[in-house]
Amino acid sequence: MLRLPKIPSSEITPPELFYNRRRFLKTMAAAVGGLALAACAGPTAAPTPAPATTGAGPTGKTDELGDPLTDREAILNYNNYFEFSTNKQAVARLAADFPTSPWQVQVGGLVNKPRVFDLDDLRRFGLEERIYRLRCVEAWSMVIPWLGFPLRKLLETVEPTSQARYVRFEAVYDPDRMPGQRNTWYEWPYVEGLRLDEAMHDLTILAMGLYGEPLAPQNGAPVRLVVPWKYGFKSIKAIVKIDLVAEQPSSLWMIAAPHEYGFYANVNPDVPHPRWSQRTERRIGELGRRETLPFNGYAEQVAHLYAGMDLRKYY
Ligand SMILES: Nc1nc2c(c(=O)[nH]1)N[C@H]1C(S)=C(S)[C@@H](COP(=O)(O)O)O[C@H]1N2
Ligand SMILES: [Mo]
C-alpha cells in the first residue's frame, strides 16, 4: 500500500500561478477570454499527496551510494509531464493510452549522416541498466533503475560536423492526445538542449525502459533523455527530433520563466531557485529530508566539464 504524506502546494503548483503574472493573464485572456481571469485569480491547486513507501524495495538493489531504489509504483504514479497535466498524480491515467509505437526519431542538423531511427534501430544500440538519482528542481528525488544506452553511441553514428557544439532535443507535439498542450502558457513542443560534450558524456543516456520493462507512457515512452547530474526538467521525454546545432538552444523552461531556468541546470545546493531552496531534498519514500549533493552526487564524473565556469551563474 502507498502511504500518502502531505506535501506543500508550492511543490505542485504550476509556475504560471507564481511567476510572470502579466504574461499569464495575457495568454489566458487571449486563449479563453476574460472569464479566465476570475477563475485563475489565485493559486488553485490544492496540495495532493505523493505516493511513498519505505524499505529497500523489492529488488534489494541500491545506487552506488547505497541508497535503495525508489518503489516502482511511485516512479509510475508521481510524474512531471506537462503535456498531460501539471498534476503529478493525474499524468499516469491521462497518458495511459498515448500511442508510443510505431515511433521515429529524426536526427539531423550539423551531421554528415542524418538519419531517422525507429524503435528497433534504437534498441540495437543495446539496453543496459543504469541506476541513477533523479533530482527535480522542485526538491524531490528518486532512485530509478533505467534501461538505456549512452546517447554518445547514437551521436557517433550520425557523425557531428566540426561546427556542431550543442544538441537540441524536441518532444512530440500531439495536442489532440496531450491535453496539457492546450495550455498556451508554454511554448510547445517541449524542447531541451545540452552542450555537445555533456551529450557525449557516458552518464548521459537515452532511456527506453525502467525496472526491467519498457518505459510507461508517463515516464516518457518510448524514448527519453536522462542526464542524472542536472535537474529533472533537462531529461526530456517522448523525443521525436534531435538536432546538432552551432548555437546554444533555448528550452521550453527558459522561454516560459527565464529568471527561474537556465541552460545548464546542474544540480547545485549552493544556488537557490527563486521558489525553492536547493539545499535539501525529499527522497520519495523517505521521511524527512536529505542534503542535496553537488551535481546530484556525480561531481567526480562531471565537474571537469565546467572547469573555469562560474557555477553560481548557471542554475
Ligand atoms: N516532454 C517532457 N519531458 C519532461 C517533462 C515534461 O513536462 N515534458 N518534465 C520534466 C521534469 S520537470 C521532470 S522532474 C522529469 C520527471 O520524470 P519522471 O516523471 O519519469 O520521473 O521529466 C522531465 N521531462
Ligand atoms: Mo522536475
Side-chain angles (χ1 to χ4, degrees):
M1 270 308 288
L2 302 174
R3 283 187 305 106
L4 304 172
K6 290 263 182 242
I7 58 169
S9 61
S10 62
E11 195 170 285
I12 49 127
T13 304
E16 64 264 36
L17 296 179
F18 280 88
Y19 180 73
N20 200 345
R21 190 163 169 77
R22 204 157 44 125
R23 179 179 161 179
F24 173 57
L25 294 175
K26 202 177 88 204
T27 55
M28 286 305 291
V32 286
L35 276 179
L37 299 180
C40 300
T44 52
T48 55
T53 56
T54 51
T59 65
K61 281 188 189 173
T62 68
D63 66 8
E64 83 284 8
L65 303 180
D67 291 323
L69 304 188
T70 299
D71 189 271
R72 184 173 168 276
E73 287 305 306
I75 299 171
L76 293 176
N77 291 289
Y78 190 71
N79 302 104
N80 269 340
Y81 202 164
F82 277 33
E83 284 89 333
F84 289 102
S85 175
T86 55
N87 175 353
K88 291 175 182 42
Q89 292 182 295
V91 169
R93 181 178 49 82
L94 290 168
D97 297 324
F98 186 73
T100 57
S101 176
W103 193 271
Q104 292 189 325
V105 181
Q106 192 186 316
V107 186
L110 300 172
V111 299
N112 291 324
K113 297 182 171 170
R115 186 175 154 192
V116 176
F117 294 84
D118 66 23
L119 294 180
D120 283 334
D121 297 329
L122 296 176
R123 285 185 205 106
R124 248 173 253 128
F125 287 112
L127 301 184
E128 53 185 284
E129 186 171 75
R130 295 281 185 103
I131 298 175
Y132 286 161
R133 294 170 290 287
L134 174 86
R135 170 60 158 81
C136 178
V137 75
E138 296 161 333
W140 55 266
S141 63
M142 300 187 183
V143 180
I144 301 180
W146 300 107
L147 286 176
F149 60 88
L151 174 62
R152 186 192 62 247
K153 289 191 181 179
L154 179 148
L155 294 178
E156 281 169 352
T157 66
V158 295
E159 297 181 10
T161 70
S162 58
Q163 275 101 61
R165 292 185 54 226
Y166 294 90
V167 186
R168 179 185 181 277
F169 303 86
E170 193 175 301
V172 66
Y173 181 68
D174 191 352
D176 290 339
R177 294 195 178 89
M178 297 179 131
Q181 287 185 331
R182 290 173 221 145
N183 181 345
T184 56
W185 162 264
Y186 299 102
E187 213 162 286
W188 304 106
Y190 198 103
V191 168
E192 261 304 338
L194 294 173
R195 219 170 55 192
L196 184 55
D197 59 342
E198 298 177 321
M200 298 292 275
H201 193 284
D202 183 65
L203 286 175
T204 302
I205 60 168
L206 288 179
M208 301 183 75
L210 64 81
Y211 264 113
E213 312 234 347
L215 223 48
Q218 61 267 35
N219 294 109
V223 58
R224 61 94 57 86
L225 184 68
V226 181
V227 193
W229 70 93
K230 294 178 179 286
Y231 292 117
F233 66 84
K234 297 293 290 183
S235 292
I236 180 175
K237 298 175 174 182
I239 296 168
V240 295
K241 200 161 178 285
I242 300 176
D243 281 309
L244 284 286
V245 296
E247 306 293 334
Q248 180 177 294
S250 197
S251 69
L252 174 135
W253 288 110
M254 289 166 72
I255 293 165
H259 296 99
E260 296 198 1
Y261 302 105
F263 176 77
Y264 283 92
N266 294 318
V267 174
N268 188 345
D270 295 331
V271 177
H273 178 279
R275 287 191 276 138
W276 304 286
S277 162
Q278 299 298 341
R279 184 65 56 197
T280 63
E281 67 199 58
R282 189 172 59 88
R283 178 66 51 85
I284 300 296
E286 286 183 359
L287 300 171
R289 300 182 75 85
R290 48 165 75 211
E291 305 265 296
T292 287
L293 303 172
F295 297 104
N296 201 24
Y298 302 96
E300 215 174 289
Q301 292 96 316
V302 301
H304 70 272
L305 297 173
Y306 311 101
M309 275 172 59
D310 178 4
L311 292 178
R312 291 202 64 92
K313 226 181 103 187
Y314 303 91
Y315 285 106

